[in-house]
Amino acid sequence: MTKAAKRLFICLDSAGYEVSLERLKIYVALPDAKAERGGYLRIIDESGEDYLYASQRFVAADLPVSTRRAVLQAA
C-alpha cells in the first residue's frame, strides 16, 4: 500500500477509547471503502494496529503537503 493512499484525520472524540485514541491527535487512516460506506474509518491507533472507529469521532486533517509528508513519515 502506498503512502498516497493513506489519509490523515484528527480525533475529536476518544470517549470510551481513551487507551486507543487520543483526543486532538492526528491519525493515519487506511483505505477501506466497505467500512466507510458503513460510517467507519480504519484508523491506525495507539496500539499501532488498524481498527474500525466511527467516522463521526474524526475530522479530516487538511494539511499543507510538506506537513502531510512529515506526519506520514513519522507515523
Side-chain angles (χ1 to χ4, degrees), residues 1 6-7 18 24-25 35-37 42-43 46 53 55 61-63 69 73:
M1 179 173 306
K6 296 176 182 176
R7 295 176 297 155
E18 290 84 358
L24 302 179
K25 181 175 177 176
E36 289 181 34
R37 284 192 300 273
R42 186 166 295 282
I43 299 288
E46 296 301 314
Y53 293 99
S55 59
D62 186 21
L63 302 172
R69 283 186 190 138
Q73 189 173 34

Side-chain angles (χ1 to χ4, degrees), residues 8-33:
L8 301 175
F9 288 87
I10 300 169
C11 177
L12 299 178
D13 178 13
S14 62
Y17 296 97
E18 290 84 358
V19 173
S20 304
L21 297 173
E22 188 176 323
R23 190 173 169 274
L24 302 179
K25 181 175 177 176
I26 297 173
Y27 288 93
V28 175
L30 302 176
D32 187 332

